[in-house]
Amino acid sequence: MMLQRRRWRPVQTFALWSLLALAVAHPSLADDPQPKPTRTTGARLDFIDEKLRESWAEFSIKPSRVASDEEFLRRAYLDLLGRIPNISEANGFLRSKEAGKRAKLVEYLLVHPDYPKNFATIWKVILLGRKDQAREVDPQALTNWLRRQFNENRPWNEMAFDLIDAKGSNKENGAVNFSLAHMGDGAINLTSITTRVFLGQQIQCTQCHDHPSNDWKQADFWGINAFYKGLRSEPVQTTNAAGTVTLDHYELFDEPTDQYSSYERRDAQLRIAFPTFLDGRKISQNKDVDRREALARFITEPSNEALAKAYVNRMWGHFLGRGFVQPVDDFGAHNLPSQPELLDELARNFQSSGYDTKMLIRWIMNSEAYNLTSATTKDNDKDETLFSHMNLKPMTPEQLFDSLIVATAAHKTAGADQADRRDRWMRQFQFAFAKDEGEESSSFQGTIPQALMMMNGELMEKAVGGRSGSFLADLLDQARLQKKGSFESYVVDTLYLAALSRRPTGREREAARHFLVNYPDTIGVMEDMFWSLLNSNEFVLNR
């Protein structure tokens, strides 16, 4: 039995979806010629390619072919801008015959205003998660702060220092909200997320016992926790014009302290821990030192290789679908990197670049591995760690939402309440698609609520509706004005380009044209066709 959206013709919808789904589910059926890689090279890029080729040869793995321009285009937009390209952007790239156009696209996207917006969203989720925050936390202020940092390409070590040590108003200094969100319950959560995000170390289980397969001990967890013993916050109120006292913001500050953390061993012995970094270095036990500032310096100092490795691994995971270490924040003897030499070299050069995020992105996106297709071969279909093909990546809720908006311009039909409706749609998407911990899976796991929202939700209804002023109504008017080529081919090509950032194969085009020619309800067929494309695996997966 097939789920049907309201007022749609079940037989027609089922037949059309079945025909379209054959090619949509198997993108390798696309009849585009084998593309040639168009990459710039450099010392770091050569090293990436060299090390990966060595590992492929060692395990007798033949990498997948180079991704088509359509595949690379969509992937690059999703990874850097958090959305698919619009029709104009897709046409401009796909029609270009310019040499090295992929590397030039990367440069273009790195200066696009949606780049800092997207990475601010990514890091807001990493730092805060997607759950509603307590009233003292200002997620938007943190997002705005992150957006400025990525827009200026601020060095990662400086960003990390500010996030760990941020003080003052959480409204004026958005970085304050990171510590503010996690400082409850004796800063236990703050201790855990600090080591995971900035050091790639999951030491949270050592809160209660020594790590079973790593060297971390209870004393390591509580030694980091002791750095936060002086952390305090207080509300600041203001009086509005009506004389009402309201909350304005929260101030975060550090009181001088000589407190220590106490914990209980499994043998019931009570122990204490003064501020101690993971490598054993300590600070003064008196009140003459700013403990959080000292922790920030330990984490971001040049001699600490863990900061660069953790960031490089996380970024590699973002772009390639999995890190050298997976999960990306769980380094240790129990979870060794799949490509240790490559990880070390990238981390060293990232550090030498001045922790330059954009430079790291260039190295990754211009590498051979990033330019491979996601279609596997019989030689590499079992490979999960050597990057011989692109890993499939489910869209995040934010990517999926923004891509639907770009593909359909659904927000333009919302009327006077456009902004409110857009916010409501986004909240619905986050609720249905987000994982509680804010981390994304590396494999696609659709759920019934997700499927229902995509098929029958309010946003989808607006997205594929053919009412006046909609994307489909405008497309129908444009198609009727075409003097070159057939009306049907123009409609089909445009729908595929809008939804999937590619033109249809010959087989797909003929299947779709059949319905446009043989059914009198043209706008109804267009609605069904667009709905089918937007509900396909090819749309919801970043491949």
Side-chain angles (χ1 to χ4, degrees):
M1 176 178 170
M2 178 182 172
L3 293 169
Q4 301 159 16
R5 69 183 181 89
R6 289 171 293 196
R7 65 171 283 274
W8 285 23
R9 294 129 324 262
V11 176
Q12 176 182 331
T13 301
F14 181 80
L16 178 59
W17 198 12
S18 297
L19 282 171
L20 292 178
L22 177 63
V24 167
H26 301 281
S28 59
L29 292 176
D31 51 7
D32 298 315
Q34 170 68 19
K36 296 180 180 179
T38 52
R39 304 180 290 112
T40 57
T41 58
R44 301 288 63 74
L45 178 57
D46 289 342
F47 183 86
I48 295 173
D49 294 347
E50 175 187 334
K51 285 299 177 184
L52 289 177
R53 287 172 190 156
E54 287 178 1
S55 66
W56 298 336
E58 179 182 354
F59 291 94
S60 301
I61 291 178
K62 182 180 179 181
S64 294
R65 62 177 174 83
V66 176
S68 67
D69 280 347
E70 290 87 349
E71 194 175 357
F72 180 86
L73 168 73
R74 191 173 187 272
R75 178 188 303 166
Y77 266 81
L78 282 169
D79 288 343
L80 276 183
L81 304 192
R83 62 171 177 82
I84 62 174
N86 60 39
I87 293 175
S88 176
E89 291 167 333
N91 268 325
F93 179 80
L94 297 177
R95 289 173 178 171
S96 172
K97 305 298 182 183
E98 190 176 9
K101 68 177 185 178
R102 294 191 181 191
K104 292 174 182 177
L105 176 65
V106 172
E107 294 304 317
Y108 167 75
L109 297 178
L110 284 173
V111 297
H112 194 287
D114 283 352
Y115 159 70
K117 172 179 175 288
N118 177 43
F119 269 72
T121 299
I122 291 169
W123 276 92
K124 190 272 288 185
V125 172
I126 292 171
L127 296 170
L128 296 185
R130 290 191 177 91
K131 293 181 179 179
D132 291 338
Q133 298 296 319
R135 64 191 290 266
E136 62 264 25
V137 180
D138 189 340
Q140 189 57 53
L142 175 61
T143 302
N144 293 343
W145 182 87
L146 288 165
R147 189 168 182 172
R148 289 193 300 271
Q149 312 309 303
F150 285 111
N151 186 57
E152 298 168 4
N153 196 32
R154 190 144 177 254
W156 172 243
N157 62 327
E158 295 181 8
M159 290 177 61
F161 185 97
D162 285 355
L163 284 165
I164 298 166
D165 186 48
K167 298 175 173 62
S169 165
N170 74 317
K171 183 165 68 173
E172 296 179 1
N173 181 5
V176 164
N177 291 282
F178 167 63
S179 293
L180 198 62
H182 304 288
M183 62 180 291
D185 296 325
I188 288 175
N189 289 336
L190 185 55
T191 303
S192 171
I193 196 170
T194 298
T195 58
R196 287 195 297 107
V197 169
F198 302 109
L199 300 173
Q201 301 286 356
Q202 292 195 15
I203 67 170
Q204 62 270 18
C205 71
T206 62
Q207 172 190 344
C208 302
H209 55 80
D210 293 344
H211 200 289
S213 53
N214 258 345
D215 292 333
W216 305 126
K217 309 297 184 184
Q218 271 186 281
D220 295 315
F221 180 91
W222 294 105
I224 297 294
N225 179 262
F227 282 99
Y228 292 113
K229 280 303 177 181
L231 187 58
R232 302 287 184 271
S233 70
E234 62 180 24
V236 176
Q237 297 178 324
T238 186
T239 304
N240 60 25
T244 303
V245 177
T246 60
L247 176 67
D248 185 67
H249 68 274
Y250 273 78
E251 288 281 333
L252 191 68
F253 57 95
D254 296 86
E255 288 182 344
T257 183
D258 56 5
Q259 291 183 349
Y260 50 82
S261 294
S262 60
Y263 60 98
E264 185 177 356
R265 297 280 297 170
R266 281 191 166 183
D267 60 7
Q269 292 185 18
L270 292 177
R271 300 286 180 86
I272 63 173
F274 285 97
T276 307
F277 194 51
L278 295 180
D279 60 9
R281 284 177 294 170
K282 299 180 179 181
I283 62 172
S284 169
Q285 299 178 13
N286 300 315
K287 299 180 180 181
D288 57 344
V289 62
D290 185 319
R291 292 188 173 187
R292 271 200 306 146
E293 181 181 345
L295 178 61
R297 293 194 185 283
F298 279 144
I299 289 177
T300 61
E301 66 184 5
S303 62
N304 181 29
E305 298 176 353
L307 177 71
K309 284 186 179 182
Y311 190 73
V312 165
N313 188 60
R314 188 180 288 275
M315 292 290 282
W316 186 271
H318 170 75
F319 287 99
L320 274 298
R322 112 176 247 118
F324 300 113
V325 170
Q326 190 71 17
V328 294
D329 57 2
D330 192 17
F331 281 71
H334 67 293
N335 193 26
L336 298 176
S338 61
Q339 301 277 347
E341 292 183 10
L342 180 51
L343 172 60
D344 290 348
E345 180 71 5
L346 276 173
R348 281 194 297 268
N349 284 279
F350 174 58
Q351 193 173 18
S352 297
S353 75
Y355 299 88
D356 187 329
T357 292
K358 287 189 176 182
M359 186 62 71
L360 177 61
I361 290 173
R362 290 185 183 101
W363 295 338
I364 295 173
M365 293 187 71
N366 285 304
S367 70
E368 182 176 356
Y370 188 81
N371 277 258
L372 296 176
T373 180
S374 60
T376 60
T377 69
K378 63 180 181 180
D379 294 322
N380 68 9
D381 61 344
K382 303 298 183 183
D383 171 33
E384 295 183 351
T385 61
L386 301 180
F387 310 102
S388 60
H389 57 84
M390 175 57 70
N391 290 298
L392 293 175
K393 298 174 285 187
M395 282 195 197
T396 65
E398 295 81 11
Q399 286 176 329
L400 184 54
F401 177 83
D402 285 340
S403 293
L404 279 171
I405 293 296
V406 168
T408 67
H411 60 294
K412 293 182 180 179
T413 64
D417 63 340
Q418 176 174 320
D420 290 342
R421 181 168 292 178
R422 193 180 192 280
D423 289 343
R424 184 171 72 253
W425 286 341
M426 186 69 246
R427 288 194 297 271
Q428 291 171 352
F429 261 64
Q430 288 179 333
F431 177 80
F433 288 86
K435 298 170 74 68
D436 285 344
E437 66 272 23
E439 295 293 335
E440 298 306 321
S441 171
S442 59
S443 60
F444 180 68
Q445 296 178 330
T447 65
I448 290 175
Q450 290 172 357
L452 290 173
M453 175 167 286
M454 285 296 293
M455 290 181 178
N456 302 311
E458 180 187 4
L459 175 56
M460 187 60 70
E461 181 182 357
K462 293 289 182 182
V464 301
R467 62 186 59 80
S468 177
S470 68
F471 169 75
L472 292 182
D474 291 345
L475 172 57
L476 182 59
D477 291 341
Q478 294 166 8
R480 286 170 173 164
L481 296 175
Q482 296 304 304
K483 299 185 183 301
K484 294 182 179 180
S486 72
F487 163 84
E488 294 84 9
S489 292
Y490 182 85
V491 169
V492 176
D493 287 1
T494 303
L495 289 179
Y496 268 79
L497 203 60
L500 305 181
S501 308
R502 66 173 176 87
R503 297 180 180 87
T505 66
R507 188 178 181 183
E508 290 169 332
R509 185 180 288 109
E510 286 308 309
R513 286 185 74 253
H514 168 80
F515 286 96
L516 286 169
V517 169
N518 291 285
Y519 286 84
D521 183 8
T522 301
I523 196 69
V525 173
M526 291 170 64
E527 288 178 343
D528 286 2
M529 191 183 305
F530 205 26
W531 180 84
S532 298
L533 293 173
L534 295 174
N535 277 281
S536 69
N537 283 348
E538 188 173 352
F539 182 78
V540 301
L541 292 174
N542 178 359
R543 56 184 186 86

